[in-house]
């Protein structure tokens, strides 16, 4: 019997540049979780020791109205944008870019010589409040060591606070709608109980190894939307390897949502303006060395 589960979804394959991804949000059944309106799971891919962080520019693209959030599970990722920001992060690191009133960016997966040749990542889009959609773009990169991490009870593993707050810990990444993203590393034969805030929308994503969530076995790149008012989510890892679990969500987004291509706005007229400004060149140009 399923407990507190509103939706279980396996996603749909999509190409992201040359990479294959599982697109989990949006879908016909799931448009958003809190302010999070997009989730791509970039499947593990062997890059063959491609150690160049410099993109070709062929996949550069614009955004307006959202913050992009890229989290690297293995390998490395570089970022270049039209506001002059540039950084690279390794496994366990993340990149946050507030597109605000318009930006163009390009991301390049690669592997350092000390890394495994496998690249594996997630990308979320966070819908900004209407006022923040008109603000100037911002960018932040965190390496793995910069991400707050708390230990779970009974040697159960760790929880990494990628975005938002958890108890005494808080990510330095800005939030707008009490959005949160946590990465739980659940040790073998361990259990962890999570209590959401009363009015939060909450989803769980398990990229690989299967775990038991409120009595149901879930894994292999599936997303689980919890019912409204769920008081407790219990995770159990009966396997002999560490299990990765992403918990995310936040307060319901209270404004209209209009999403088309790389733009997420509050009105159709704003989408038209976003395209017009992009074609007029107001988002700037990426300078790649």
């Amino acid at each position: 019997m399923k407990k507190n589960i509103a939706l279980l979804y396996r996603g749909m394959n999509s190409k992201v540049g040359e990479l294959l991804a599982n697109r989990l949000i949006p879908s016909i059944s799931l448009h958003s979780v809190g302010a999070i309106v997009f989730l791509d799971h970039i499947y593990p891919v062997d890059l063959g020791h491609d150690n160049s962080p410099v993109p070709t520019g062929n996949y550069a693209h614009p955004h307006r109205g959202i913050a992009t959030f890229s989290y690297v599970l293995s390998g490395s990722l570089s970022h270049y944008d039209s506001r002059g920001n540039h950084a690279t992060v390794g496994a366990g690191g993340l990149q946050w870019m507030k597109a605000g009133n318009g930006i163009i960016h390009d991301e390049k997966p690669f592997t350092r010589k000390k890394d495994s040749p496998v690249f594996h990542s997630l990308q979320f889009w966070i819908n900004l409040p209407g006022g923040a959609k008109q603000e100037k773009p911002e960018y932040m990169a965190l390496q793995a060591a910069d991400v707050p991490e708390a230990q779970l009870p009974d040697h159960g593993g760790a929880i990494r606070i990628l975005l938002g707050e958890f108890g005494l810990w808080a990510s330095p990444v800005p939030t707008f709608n009490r959005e949160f993203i946590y990465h739980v590393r659940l040790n073998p034969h361990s259990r962890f109980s999570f209590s959401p805030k009363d009015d939060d929308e909450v989803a769980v994503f398990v990229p690989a190894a299967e775990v038991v969530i409120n009595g149901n076995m879930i894994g292999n790149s599936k997303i689980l939307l919890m019912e409204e008012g769920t008081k407790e989510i219990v995770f159990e890892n009966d396997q002999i390897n560490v299990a990765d679990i992403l918990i995310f969500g936040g307060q319901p987004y209270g404004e209209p949502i209009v999403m088309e291509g790389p733009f997420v706005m509050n009105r159709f007229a704003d989408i038209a303006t976003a395209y017009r400004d992009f074609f007029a060149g107001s988002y700037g140009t990426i300078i790649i060395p």
Side-chain angles (χ1 to χ4, degrees):
M1 177 180 176
K2 294 184 178 180
K3 302 176 183 177
N4 302 119
I5 295 173
L7 175 71
L8 174 63
Y9 182 56
R10 62 179 297 172
M12 181 176 294
N13 282 349
S14 177
K15 289 300 292 277
V16 178
E18 298 177 355
L19 304 179
L20 186 63
N22 186 19
R23 183 150 298 166
L24 295 133
I25 303 174
S27 70
I28 294 174
S29 302
L30 182 58
H31 302 291
S32 62
V33 182
I36 294 171
V37 294
F38 181 96
L39 171 57
D40 263 3
H41 174 208
I42 309 298
Y43 294 125
V45 58
D46 189 332
L47 296 180
H49 292 289
D50 175 1
N51 57 15
S52 171
V54 182
T56 63
N58 293 336
Y59 299 110
H61 56 280
H63 287 295
R64 176 179 278 186
I66 60 170
T68 63
F69 186 99
S70 297
Y71 182 52
V72 181
L73 295 168
S74 66
S76 298
L77 185 68
S78 69
H79 168 97
Y80 290 80
D81 68 44
S82 58
R83 305 296 178 172
N85 300 304
H86 163 58
T88 63
V89 298
L94 61 89
Q95 302 193 48
W96 173 87
M97 182 187 74
K98 185 182 80 174
N101 62 11
I103 196 168
I104 300 172
H105 78 139
D106 201 356
E107 293 179 309
K108 170 71 162 55
F110 67 102
T111 56
R112 301 183 189 275
K113 292 181 179 179
K114 64 181 180 181
D115 292 342
S116 156
V118 174
F119 178 77
H120 186 197
S121 74
L122 302 170
Q123 186 174 89
F124 299 83
W125 291 3
I126 301 161
N127 196 5
L128 298 173
K133 294 178 186 291
Q134 307 304 321
E135 295 175 353
K136 293 181 179 180
E138 297 178 20
Y139 173 77
M140 178 182 291
L142 297 184
Q143 302 297 338
D146 300 324
V147 176
E149 182 172 302
Q151 298 302 305
L152 301 181
D154 303 319
H155 308 290
I159 181 167
R160 312 189 76 228
I161 298 84
L162 310 181
L163 182 68
E165 299 179 353
F166 179 82
L168 300 176
W169 295 269
S171 168
V173 178
T175 59
F176 299 86
N177 201 52
R178 209 171 73 195
E179 61 266 26
F180 64 87
I181 303 174
Y182 308 140
H183 177 192
V184 175
R185 300 269 294 157
L186 192 60
N187 282 340
H189 294 255
S190 294
R191 182 179 186 272
F192 169 60
S193 177
F194 173 72
S195 297
K197 291 184 171 62
D198 286 343
D199 56 346
D200 278 353
E201 297 177 348
V202 181
V204 178
F205 173 68
V206 184
E210 293 184 323
V211 296
V212 177
I213 303 175
N214 283 15
N216 302 273
M217 184 72 79
I218 308 295
N220 296 317
S221 195
K222 293 184 178 67
I223 190 172
L224 191 68
L225 179 67
M226 306 308 298
E227 287 183 345
E228 182 179 348
T230 296
K231 299 297 183 184
E232 183 182 41
I233 308 174
V234 178
F235 303 93
E236 298 171 278
N237 180 12
D238 291 332
Q239 311 300 315
I240 61 172
N241 296 311
V242 173
D244 293 299
I245 305 161
L246 279 295
I247 311 171
F248 63 92
Q251 291 180 313
Y253 187 83
E255 301 176 72
I257 301 174
V258 182
M259 184 171 180
E260 184 173 316
F263 306 126
V264 184
M265 305 302 290
N266 300 128
R267 303 181 306 160
F268 286 103
D270 297 331
I271 295 287
T273 300
Y275 276 108
R276 184 176 65 245
D277 290 347
F278 168 63
F279 288 119
S282 65
Y283 292 9
T285 303
I286 300 177
I287 305 299
I288 299 176

